[in-house]
Structures are given as structure tokens and as C-alpha cells.
Amino acid sequence: LHEGFVNVDCPQCGRAARRETDTMDTFVDSSWYQLRFTSPRYADGAFDPEAALRWSPVDQYTGGMEHAVMHLLYARFFTKALRDLGLLEFGEPFLRLYNQGVILGEDHDKMSKSRGNVVAPDPYVDALGADVFRLFLMFLGPWDQGGPWSTTAINGMARWVNRVWDIAQLDASTLGKSGDPAAAKDLTRATH
């Protein structure tokens, strides 16, 4: 933060003023974050060129269709510009794009605040756990197609996870081939 730029006198009234510094579109910020992730503590520039070369380009970018269009357009522009400036040795930020499907509301319409059918994940994560929530989304349907939210189905996933947990907590020597320590060890590994 440059104090001389931020702290100024108001040009209209002459009193102390502060310039707005948050003026860039979020697409600009998200156009190069993958490079910063390669070296988050690097202090001599936006990213460490050696780390960026070692970790980039990203093998697969996963995102929704609505988000991907503008973000990818800007990310590709930034990457090509940084390459042309000699700061990168590659011209594509992501090698492969995979669009995930859309999660619909329980009414089978696209989730939208204006429709009032948005499901907030936090209460479900708090009540059932993040693993249950993730598993529900993974088994909702083909990943690239998405599907409708279902309170009944996520509760069913929670029951299934609890059954798996209960099995994993059992003493493996009481299951399967009684008295066979190797089988008990194998079963413990499998349940965990």
C-alpha cells in the first residue's frame, strides 16, 4: 500500500481523504491466482517464476460453465501476456477444462436466489458433516450433468456413512474368519 497515493487531500474541500484502492474487477484478480498459489510466500514479485514453471500449467481446470467463460478468457489473456513479457515459458494456464453439472433446486429448477430455491450447505455440513455433503454431491448423478437437490437423499447418504463408520469401529477379529489374525488385519485395513 503506497501511503502517498492512498492518503490525500480532498480536491473539493481540502480535508484529509482516502483514495479507493479496490477498483479492479474480480476477474482480474482471478486471472492469475493459480500462479500465486505456486509460491504464496514469495515476496519479490507476484509469483516465483521457477515455482510457476514447476507447477504450471494446471493439468485440469474444473468449473461451472457460467463461471468458466469470462474467467478462462481473462486467465488465458494474462498468461499469454506474461509469456510475451518473458515472465512465463508457457501460453496456456490450463491444459484441460471439465465443466461440472448444475445443482438444481428440489423443485428441479436451477438454484437461484430470485426463485428462492437455494440450499445453503453450511447447516447440512454442521449437522451431517462435510464428507456426507461431498458424497451426496458426488453420487447425485453424472458429474458433468449435475442434478436436483434432495433432502431425502442427503439424509440417506448420512445413514450410509454412519453404517460404514459403525462397521469400521467393530473389532475385526469378531468378523469374517474367526481366529485368523491375518484375515482380521486385512479386514481392518479394508474397513478403514
Side-chain angles (χ1 to χ4, degrees), residues 29-98:
D29 298 335
S30 68
S31 295
W32 62 278
Y33 71 90
Q34 72 280 1
L35 298 171
R36 182 63 181 175
F37 282 173
T38 65
S39 51
R41 291 176 185 79
Y42 187 69
D44 295 331
F47 58 89
D48 179 352
E50 291 178 19
L53 184 59
R54 186 170 53 253
W55 289 100
S56 302
V58 173
D59 293 322
Q60 178 169 300
Y61 178 90
T62 303
M65 283 180 270
E66 303 93 352
H67 170 74
V69 174
M70 292 302 286
H71 168 64
L72 293 178
L73 177 72
Y74 285 111
R76 292 186 76 214
F77 170 80
F78 267 66
T79 303
K80 290 176 185 307
L82 290 168
R83 179 206 52 207
D84 292 352
L85 291 168
L87 299 171
L88 293 176
E89 295 182 23
F90 53 90
E92 289 293 339
F94 315 109
L95 299 180
R96 183 170 182 252
L97 168 65
Y98 191 88

Side-chain angles (χ1 to χ4, degrees), residues 103-112 117-119 147-150:
I103 308 299
L104 305 174
E106 210 149 9
D107 57 3
H108 292 255
D109 284 333
K110 183 178 173 184
M111 278 196 195
S112 164
N117 65 352
V118 173
V119 175
W149 173 264
S150 170

Side-chain angles (χ1 to χ4, degrees), residues 172-185:
S173 65
T174 64
L175 303 171
K177 298 177 184 175
S178 294
D180 182 354
K185 188 175 183 180

